[in-house]
Amino acid sequence: MRGAVLVAVAAAIGNLLQGWDNATIAASVLYIKKEFKLESDPAVEGLIVAMSLIGATLITTCSGAMADWLGRRPVLIISSVLYFLSGIVMLWAPNVYILLLARLLDGFGIGLALTLVPLYISETAPPEIRGSLNTLPQFTGSGGMFLSYCMVFGMSLTKSPSWRLMLGVLSIPSLVYFALTVFFLPESPRWLVSKGRMLEAKHVLQRLRGREDVSGEMALLVEGLGVAGETSFEEYIIGPADDIADDHDLSAEKDKIKLYGPERGQSWVARPVTDQSTIGLVSRHASMVNQSGLVDPLVSLFGSVHEKLPDTGSMRSMLFPHFGSMFSVGGNQARQEEWDEESLAREGDDYASDAVGGDSDDNLHSPLISRQTTSLEKDLGPPPHGSLASMRNNSLIGGEGAGSTGIGGGWQLAWKWSEREGQDGLKEGGFKRIYLHQEGVPASRRGSIVSVPGGDAPTDGEFIQAAALVSQPALYSKELRNQHPVGPAMIHPSAAIAKGPTWSDLFEPGVKHALVVGVGMQILQQFSGISGVLYYTPQILEQAGVGVLLSNLGISSASASLLISAVTTLLMLPSIAVAMRLMDISGRRSLLLTTIPVLIASLVILVLGSLVNMGSVVNASVSTVGVVLYFCFFVMGFGPIPNILCAEIFPTRVRGLCIAICALTFWIGDIIVTYSLPVMLKSVGLGGVFGMYAVVCVIAFIFVFLKVPETKGMPLEVIIEFFSVGAKQAAAAKKN
């Protein structure tokens, strides 16, 4: 995973620049107002600081459309250029008007970076470490603030500090960021697949995953373009492809389903079980978990997955622990590639293999499905003429050699072929996409699984019990979907989304449900008090005696406030490091439910420190404890997680647009909180403000408990599918 980690670190530098800018403007404005004599004009002083917020808000309105049209990487390049230009202009800035223009350009760069970096990291990171990598922007942003505070503190100790130099230094790290975005960062493979650029996407995935065989994940990205139509929950007992019961029963034989993996030579047999799977049971009756019906069924649905997810070892090996032996003949045996006569006769133009077009992106209308008889089936002998096996002796999305077939988080992507007798007597059918998830540990089914040729299969006949999320695949026949095809005539699904996202897409049940979660989290984060606590931290710490101590060392009040801010920022970094470690272990929801109560307690402490007179020393000490607790636990939960969730819960085709909506909510909330703070201080005082923030945190805790699901370790496409299914079932439950 080294490639994905390095790419995430490079992308997160965009947030480092944003943190750097926040710190430098807070320090330089002390000197700007002296040079331009703005002491008597606080409106212009406030506008200089706020212009970047205005720019970020304006650019965010079109950032999603830009990301979906141009791609994720070009928008990050534009962001780095805007950062650099703003730094150069601020270094020159002969008057206030030029400075305001530079701050506007800087806001454009900030808005693009903060919108696109979480999106980019989510689309390139493996599911197992996606949360940790998406916490990097929070870490680099705080790190940038710390480095900048250290720099401006050093400059403030000189005889004549230059605010132009403080602001202009931004252009140096911007150049580094520009070089990384141009020469190192690849384009998002999910965006490339959505545009039909399959070969480029494959090469990017090979680089990010560090292996040649990425056929399984390529298939997943294609399937992610089509979100659930009619979706059902099923449960299977899965065995190797030569699974033949000792007590052969024709009725049981009819229940068998042939499943196909995303690589050549992969197929196995599944038998549906009549008992309801855990996931399916919870999905249909999730409201019974809470008799009042307040908890969102989607939360219980996601929770059922994580309750069944193995906690140790490789997710892939746990889902299919004997995949290499059960479903293959042996590494040294050559695969037979001859097709049976019936398959060859039915091939025609509609059954052309993707091998015909090689890796060329120009052959998008040839199917991504290549039919391939498995070597296992060859060893077992030819199937009966006209049987399902003879038609569907294939595998999907051809790959090279053996590789991981898991798609992350204990999930497996497969397809099944179902067919029936049509009215004219001809067989008709189609593929169904299946996301498989382990329901239990491997168990024994005596005498039911025959050893696989090659001698690798377990002799005790192990099988897997798996829950299945079954829906319409993204690979479909555009021309023949209203006819009765006898086989898989497939085209690339990007043709269906080439027109781009539309506003009507936002009203699909799954997307609308996800928007409620994303927008709600952004609003609650902004009104939870971070702006107020940040603003008053220097004042609180100075009351604690830190300012007096620094003045005794000969440090001016301006320099002392900068040093205090640097120390405050430094306190965040270890806490963010802890959050990075826990994000994919404890999970997003668990971290929020653990850290928000601490935020409430710390705000209550700040209220007591403001309202109750316990003596200057005690009040300052209590307030300092409250500030430290608030910062440390905010950056562990409410700081990074809203952006992480927003980058995970939206479909590929509208992800850029939806994240832009969430980011716009963030910036509007930031502006409201920033400009309402002085008014609130005059009306209710500092204790009243912190009390209101505490109430918002209580509301946030309730919202997270009722509405926010746990998404750790799950592939983005599975998360999206669950949102779609959960939203539809919640709507059906309301009607009933």
Side-chain angles (χ1 to χ4, degrees), residues 244-263:
I244 303 174
D246 289 342
D247 52 344
H248 188 72
D249 189 336
L250 290 178
S251 61
E253 184 74 18
K254 293 179 182 178
D255 293 334
K256 288 185 179 179
I257 298 172
K258 194 69 170 293
L259 302 181
Y260 302 93
E263 298 182 17

Side-chain angles (χ1 to χ4, degrees), residues 651-663:
T652 300
R653 68 183 187 280
V654 293
R655 187 173 290 132
L657 179 60
C658 290
I659 288 185
I661 293 173
C662 293

